[in-house]
Amino acid sequence: MASATSAQTRSASGRITLGVAAAGTSSFALLYAPQPVLAQLAAEYRLDPATASLAVSVATGALALAVLPIALLSETVGRHRTIVISLLASLVTSMVQPLAPTYAVLLVLRAVQGAAIAGVAGVGAAYLVERLGRSGVAVAVGAMIAGNTIGGMLGRLSVGFSADLLGWRGAFGVVAGVAAGCTALSLASLPRPTTEGRTPMSQRGEPASGPRRPHPRSHLLRALGTALRTPVLLLQYAVAFVGMGAFVAMYNTIGFRLIEQPFALSAAAVSLLFLCYALGAASSVTAGMLVGRVGRRPALAGALLTMAGGAALTLPDALACVVAGFALLTVGFFAAHSVANGWAAAAAPERARGQVSGVYTTSYYLGSSVLGTAGSAVFAHGGWGWLISAVIVVVAGLGTVVAAVAVVAARSSARP
């Protein structure tokens, strides 16, 4: 009887993990879909490249601005309901975008879509902790981030491969179809809203009963204050901000380096570097397993130092070194993100999970925006060497801090 209950629990946990991973795949396929067709958008609407790039940046900017309010709202309306509404809203806007009569209308739709995606990006980890418990969240969060990574690749590839034949509008229709399939899988896998807010299955052999009780506004504000004052959580926000910023800065600028001498690669050849994202999907899941073996602090410190090592490897003017360096950078970044995201979710007080998840995700996308732009400015001013020096200083420095904390914690626990 106990073994049957355990099997049912594992099956339910697997479905929840699959549902959240599928939600991330759908959301991030849509979020980055316009990137391969920015030139087509510029040609049709007579835009310069910077204006065309707003098709991506307005969505990520709206996501960063909306994620914390939506995370707070999820404490009242429920996280399952928030995820479902997010998926449906982002899918509907994706279906309307090919019909946009003007670029301004397209940008509005993209902003709405980015805000909708915040419901998955900002709530997913907290939902997993709520359903699976703190002890079972590490691998599930790794699977969720892997889904996000696969979605980002899938969106770019489906649009890029179909745009020449169908144009950007047809390509947007293709990625909407991909997102629809992922959304259907997610909705079929996640438990119904009536089971939300119940005792995690990892703490019991079955779901608990009882509806989720809304929190008063004063509690939500106190919980936000807790999320912004807790030292261990502040460390995870720093990892999200610095890690994502350094990662985006390097991917933003590597194309400028590789099209020049001594590499002189075509734009198509440079774009193949994004296939390194596949390694990120694998490292996200592996990092979750590693946490169970060595602990969060050593795993996070190792991931950050791996990032710094990958950045340093790109310094020589040798294509093999650049490719290997970006592979190592990507593995390290997604591992660090997986560990930090899962750690923040597990360390969050029960009544502040939504706030912690929202602050973490806001830090993540602010890092992409702020440090990604700052890194591009450093590259423009001083070249690749200056950019990599800055990346190594901030990422390795943060990794050293985490490693030092791990050593201190280990010594403290060893004392009689």
Side-chain angles (χ1 to χ4, degrees), residues 6 14 79 98 117 129-130 143 168 195 205 216 246 279 282 307-308 310 336 341 380 404:
S6 177
R79 281 184 257 280
I117 290 171
V129 172
E130 192 169 69
W168 73 264
T195 66
L279 299 174
M307 271 191 76
N341 199 1

Side-chain angles (χ1 to χ4, degrees), residues 35 156-157 250-277 319 322-323 326 379 384:
Q35 209 165 40
R156 291 180 178 97
L157 292 176
M250 287 185 61
Y251 268 102
N252 277 353
T253 53
I254 187 58
F256 294 98
R257 183 188 182 199
L258 293 182
I259 63 175
E260 301 292 340
Q261 295 293 340
F263 302 102
L265 299 181
S266 67
V270 172
S271 68
L272 293 176
L273 199 62
F274 283 98
L275 292 175
C276 289
Y277 270 63
L319 185 60
V322 172
V323 173
F326 267 85
F379 172 78
W384 189 254

